[in-house]
């Protein structure tokens, strides 16, 4: 190899090393921010369940800012963007954001409002059914199973919506599995609500019967 050819090869290697150094640095920073987004979104979900609106809103705003930073970092590294961990962060953000909107605003924001990948939005909705089930179980524990029926209807609407996206898993990145899990949770939740309402009805009838019996004994 001629000396000038070796110099060209060294320049080529230097360019490649620079490229991968930049990619690695971007990946490490994006990974760090993704972990923060997941933590913020998870905390926002807990705040929403506790009806701490201002705290949940603050956490979601911060999570959105970090997601925006991740996108800017990975503009030139789309292979890293779609390696999986950014999807996880977006899905957790969607789950927390939609739960917040449903609880405090009574609406379901479209994916464009959340500025996330469409598949991440759908997968986040699939995960949301678990949080809605959690809310329903809390209502049941508080003696309000009828109120849980509204949330159950939302779970069913989400499931039927997800069912319409019957595309290969290579495109939908795990959505089918989340849809199947949502169906399972809906069936269990429907049974929980039905049982709770029946028990509540039975308790009322027993209380009425007890009152009648007490009245009959007092007349003797």
């Amino acid at each position: 190899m001629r000396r000038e050819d070796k110099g060209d090869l060294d320049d080529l290697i230097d360019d490649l090393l620079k490229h991968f150094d930049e990619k690695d640095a971007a990946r490490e920073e994006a990974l760090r921010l993704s972990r923060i987004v997941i933590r913020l979104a998870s905390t926002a979900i807990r705040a929403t369940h506790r009806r701490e609106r201002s705290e949940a809103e603050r956490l979601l705003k911060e999570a959105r800012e970090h997601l925006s930073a991740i996108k800017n970092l990975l503009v030139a590294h789309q292979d890293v963007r779609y390696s999986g961990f950014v999807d996880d962060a977006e899905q957790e953000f969607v789950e927390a954001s939609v739960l917040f909107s449903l609880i405090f605003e009574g609406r379901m924001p479209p994916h464009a409002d959340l500025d996330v990948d469409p598949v991440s939005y759908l997968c986040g909705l699939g995960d949301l059914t678990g949080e809605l089930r959690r809310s329903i179980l809390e209502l049941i524990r508080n003696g309000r199973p009828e109120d849980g029926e509204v949330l159950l209807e939302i779970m069913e609407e989400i499931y039927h919506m997800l069912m319409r996206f019957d595309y290969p898993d290579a495109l939908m990145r795990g959505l089918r599995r989340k849809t199947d899990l949502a169906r399972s949770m809906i069936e269990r939740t429907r049974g929980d609500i039905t049982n709770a309402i029946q028990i509540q009805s039975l308790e009322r009838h027993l209380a009425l019967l007890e009152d009648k019996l007490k009245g009959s004994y007092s007349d003797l």
Side-chain angles (χ1 to χ4, degrees):
M1 179 181 290
R2 293 178 304 172
R3 181 174 298 177
E4 57 268 27
D5 291 338
K6 186 176 185 302
D8 290 342
L9 181 60
D10 288 340
D11 290 341
L12 174 62
I13 291 172
D14 287 342
D15 287 343
L16 289 171
L17 286 171
K18 180 181 178 182
H19 170 77
F20 284 106
D21 282 344
E22 292 174 352
K23 185 184 290 290
D24 183 54
R27 178 187 177 278
E28 288 299 317
E29 179 62 8
L31 187 58
R32 185 185 71 83
L33 292 174
S34 293
R35 292 188 183 117
I36 294 174
V37 169
I38 290 173
R39 185 169 66 249
L40 289 169
S42 178
T43 307
I45 287 173
R46 291 196 294 272
T48 299
H49 282 303
R50 294 193 297 266
R51 300 303 190 267
E52 298 171 354
R53 178 168 185 164
S54 60
E55 177 65 5
E57 207 162 19
R58 181 189 68 80
L59 292 163
L60 289 173
K61 181 175 182 293
E62 190 174 345
R64 184 189 286 265
E65 290 170 353
H66 285 312
L67 278 176
S68 179
I70 291 170
K71 290 178 183 177
N72 291 333
L73 273 170
L74 300 180
V75 166
H77 307 289
Q78 290 298 292
D79 53 336
V80 177
R81 159 64 185 89
Y82 288 102
S83 62
F85 65 87
V86 179
D87 287 343
D88 292 340
E90 283 195 334
Q91 290 169 27
E92 193 78 18
F93 174 70
V94 168
E95 183 180 0
S97 298
V98 177
L99 180 67
F100 176 92
S101 294
L102 287 173
I103 296 298
F104 293 116
E105 301 169 353
R107 70 182 189 93
M108 184 179 294
H111 89 273
D113 285 4
L114 301 182
D115 193 23
V116 296
D117 178 84
V119 176
S120 293
Y121 178 78
L122 293 172
C123 288
L125 290 183
D127 292 335
L128 175 63
T129 57
E131 291 302 325
L132 292 175
R133 171 173 166 77
R134 178 180 169 187
S135 293
I136 290 170
L137 294 177
E138 186 64 26
L139 289 170
I140 290 174
R141 280 192 290 270
N142 293 330
R144 298 163 52 199
E146 295 90 350
D147 293 343
E149 292 183 312
V150 176
L151 296 180
L152 179 61
E153 288 179 5
I154 294 173
M155 290 176 70
E156 291 174 334
E157 288 175 6
I158 290 173
Y159 169 71
H160 290 303
M161 182 179 76
L162 297 181
M163 282 289 292
R164 298 181 63 182
F165 294 89
D166 187 21
Y167 298 99
D169 201 57
L171 294 179
M172 307 312 291
R173 307 197 296 274
L175 179 62
R176 185 170 299 173
R177 180 180 60 83
K178 290 179 183 289
T179 303
D180 291 340
L181 288 173
R183 180 182 60 188
S184 174
M185 279 188 284
I186 288 170
E187 291 171 354
R188 282 184 289 155
T189 305
R190 185 183 295 112
D192 291 333
I193 291 176
T194 300
N195 290 337
I197 290 175
Q198 289 175 343
I199 291 171
Q200 196 175 69
S201 177
L202 179 60
E203 288 173 345
R204 288 180 185 142
H205 281 89
L206 289 174
L208 288 172
L209 179 59
E210 185 178 1
D211 289 341
K212 287 182 180 179
L213 289 173
K214 286 180 180 178
S216 298
Y217 283 125
S218 63
D219 292 337
L220 295 177

